[in-house]
Amino acid sequence: MSTSPPGPVQPRWSRPGAWPVWIVPLFLAFFQVMGSLGAQRGGPGDGSSGGPPWEHGGGGTSGTGHTDLDAFGFALLLGGPALLLLRRRYPVFTVCATAAVTALYFLRAYTYGPAPLAPAVAMMAAIVSGHRLVTWAGTGLGLAAFFGLTALIGVPAAERGRHGLFPVQEPTLGGSGFVVGWALVVLIGAELIRMRAQRAAETARTRAEEERRQASEERLRMARELHDVLAHNISMINVQAGVALHLIDQDPGQARTALAAIKEASKEALTEMRGVIGALRAQDETAPRAPTAGLDRLDELLGRARSAGLEVETEITGERRPLHAGTDLAAFRIVQESLTNVTRHAGSGPVTVRVRIAYGEHEIVVRVEDDGRGAPLLDDRPGGSGIRGMRERATALGGTFDAGPRPGGGFRVRAALPLDEGTEPAGPGRGTQ
């Protein structure tokens, strides 16, 4: 486990959607008022400053007049940002209301400036929240209605803002094209933001599902480990306790040997449980340093089985070599669980167990066979999760598993586990947890 300090954390701006709802309206209110004042004073004081951006490259003076900003004009400039406070709860209403306020602003022929920013923000909020069709259709209908109305009541550019309640300029090809283009830019930009947000949400959902899946797999792995550790050692203890009780008066020496075996089995169970539970410790805590189960401890495992009264024969073929930690542990646990099942279910009388391990070029094959009669000896309850756990271990590594009665009596277990040559083998460093 790496103990190097983590690199510096780069500061990241939070998404605008995570900001307080009043931040954007406050900024827009200030920007629209100051920008409109700047546009109104941008030219000589002849009433022809603040022309439309599609004339003269967006700068300088033009022949377009305007209505000087008054209290109603400032109210309209502030009304649009104020309505944006509702954009998260009522996005469609906010689009319609800010569009109406902005349209009224331009019908009054106030100076051209940043007034359209409020409906732009409202349009983006509506599309991101999922109201795409309404926003697109509403924008198109709204622009068509505005152009139609200005075509009916509009005046030439030179007379804009000079006479009447709504001295709006009549539509021109350049002006109409600019407004439509601006609306398309806003709508398409909002769609891009929406798609990016959806991808981010999908990525977060996938990451959360993967974390849940990994947590579930880890819990299953821990459950298998605890089952194998407890089932094997408790079975050994049960057998030796029965022997000690039976011989304590007739053969105290043999009873003492059985009690020593109980002590050794209980010590082994505690050691392995500390190793398994140590994986749950925090990174800054010291986990118990105990040998990890693997085929290098096979002789020790078989010795405990013999002390429980089993006759165990072993055959290892092929070139014995270090295995990947997962494969090594799975092979050991399959042998351990098979011996546990023999101890619990093989029946009374002498029982012979044959353990065969074959190292192949691409896989290791584990076979455990016994000649027991299949009668329950120590536990009258139905079989637990041992067979299922062995199958899950083999399947998790991409191997195969088969178990069932042998012809002529007894039981057999066979597991073929692939050898992953591309991963780190279980070398000497594997011996601690």
Side-chain angles (χ1 to χ4, degrees), residues 220-291:
L220 179 61
R221 187 189 68 81
M222 299 295 291
R224 284 198 301 261
E225 287 294 304
L226 290 174
H227 170 271
D228 291 348
V229 170
L230 293 175
H232 175 74
N233 289 286
I234 296 302
S235 295
M236 295 296 109
I237 291 173
N238 197 345
V239 170
Q240 296 295 345
V243 171
L245 287 174
H246 182 69
L247 299 177
I248 192 169
D249 294 326
Q250 301 176 6
D251 191 348
Q254 185 64 30
R256 187 178 299 108
T257 302
L259 291 174
I262 290 175
K263 178 182 178 181
E264 183 64 26
S266 61
K267 177 182 177 182
E268 176 69 18
L270 290 174
T271 300
E272 292 203 34
M273 284 185 63
R274 281 196 295 266
V276 172
I277 297 175
L280 301 177
R281 291 174 176 264
Q283 292 185 1
D284 57 346
E285 295 182 2
T286 303
R289 304 182 66 83

Side-chain angles (χ1 to χ4, degrees), residues 1-382:
M1 181 183 300
S2 175
T3 58
S4 59
V9 178
Q10 298 295 333
R12 296 182 59 185
W13 290 96
S14 59
R15 297 181 299 105
W19 297 352
V21 70
W22 53 268
I23 292 291
V24 173
L26 181 63
F27 171 78
L28 279 185
F30 175 80
F31 186 76
Q32 288 192 168
V33 170
M34 300 307 295
S36 298
L37 286 175
Q40 180 174 279
R41 299 170 184 173
D46 58 356
S48 63
S49 61
W54 55 87
E55 293 184 4
H56 307 292
T61 62
S62 68
T64 303
H66 67 270
T67 302
D68 288 336
L69 286 169
D70 51 17
F72 187 61
F74 284 111
L76 293 175
L77 287 175
L78 295 174
L83 288 168
L84 291 178
L85 294 172
L86 305 175
R87 69 188 185 278
R88 294 179 183 174
R89 297 187 63 181
Y90 308 104
V92 175
F93 168 78
T94 304
V95 170
C96 297
T98 54
V101 168
T102 305
L104 186 58
Y105 176 89
F106 286 113
L107 287 175
R108 284 284 296 148
Y110 292 117
T111 181
Y112 290 105
L117 290 180
V121 172
M123 291 159 60
M124 288 186 176
I127 287 180
V128 170
S129 64
H131 301 279
R132 301 171 57 203
L133 180 60
V134 173
T135 305
W136 277 87
T139 301
L141 292 175
L143 290 179
F146 183 81
F147 291 146
L149 180 60
T150 54
L152 292 176
I153 66 173
V155 298
E159 299 179 12
R160 180 179 184 267
R162 298 186 185 277
H163 307 287
L165 182 61
F166 299 113
V168 62
Q169 179 184 350
E170 59 188 0
T172 63
L173 181 61
S176 301
F178 180 87
V179 172
V180 171
W182 169 84
L184 288 175
V185 168
V186 172
L187 291 171
I188 294 174
E191 291 287 355
L192 294 176
I193 294 173
R194 180 191 61 82
M195 289 187 291
R196 181 177 179 181
Q198 285 184 341
R199 285 197 298 268
E202 179 65 20
T203 300
R205 185 186 64 81
T206 303
R207 185 184 302 114
E209 289 181 353
E210 178 65 16
E211 291 174 354
R212 287 194 296 269
R213 183 189 64 80
Q214 291 178 356
S216 178
E217 291 179 353
E218 182 65 13
R219 286 194 297 269
L220 179 61
R221 187 189 68 81
M222 299 295 291
R224 284 198 301 261
E225 287 294 304
L226 290 174
H227 170 271
D228 291 348
V229 170
L230 293 175
H232 175 74
N233 289 286
I234 296 302
S235 295
M236 295 296 109
I237 291 173
N238 197 345
V239 170
Q240 296 295 345
V243 171
L245 287 174
H246 182 69
L247 299 177
I248 192 169
D249 294 326
Q250 301 176 6
D251 191 348
Q254 185 64 30
R256 187 178 299 108
T257 302
L259 291 174
I262 290 175
K263 178 182 178 181
E264 183 64 26
S266 61
K267 177 182 177 182
E268 176 69 18
L270 290 174
T271 300
E272 292 203 34
M273 284 185 63
R274 281 196 295 266
V276 172
I277 297 175
L280 301 177
R281 291 174 176 264
Q283 292 185 1
D284 57 346
E285 295 182 2
T286 303
R289 304 182 66 83
T292 302
L295 290 180
D296 55 350
R297 298 178 59 197
L298 182 62
D299 292 339
E300 178 183 344
L301 174 65
L302 300 181
R304 290 199 302 270
R306 293 186 180 101
S307 68
L310 298 178
E311 181 69 28
V312 182
E313 299 176 359
T314 310
E315 179 183 352
I316 299 178
T317 61
E319 180 185 355
R320 191 167 184 174
R321 55 191 183 274
L323 303 176
H324 179 259
T327 304
D328 200 22
L329 176 62
F332 179 87
R333 292 301 189 201
I334 289 172
V335 175
Q336 183 184 55
E337 180 62 27
S338 299
L339 293 175
T340 301
N341 289 340
V342 173
T343 304
R344 298 172 64 188
H345 303 296
S348 58
V351 178
T352 301
V353 183
R354 298 174 181 83
V355 178
R356 296 183 174 89
I357 299 178
Y359 288 83
E361 183 178 358
H362 301 293
E363 66 178 9
I364 179 173
V365 179
V366 178
R367 291 186 179 90
V368 181
E369 300 177 347
D370 69 84
D371 57 3
R373 292 181 298 174
L377 176 61
L378 302 175
D379 193 348
D380 293 331
R381 293 174 298 175

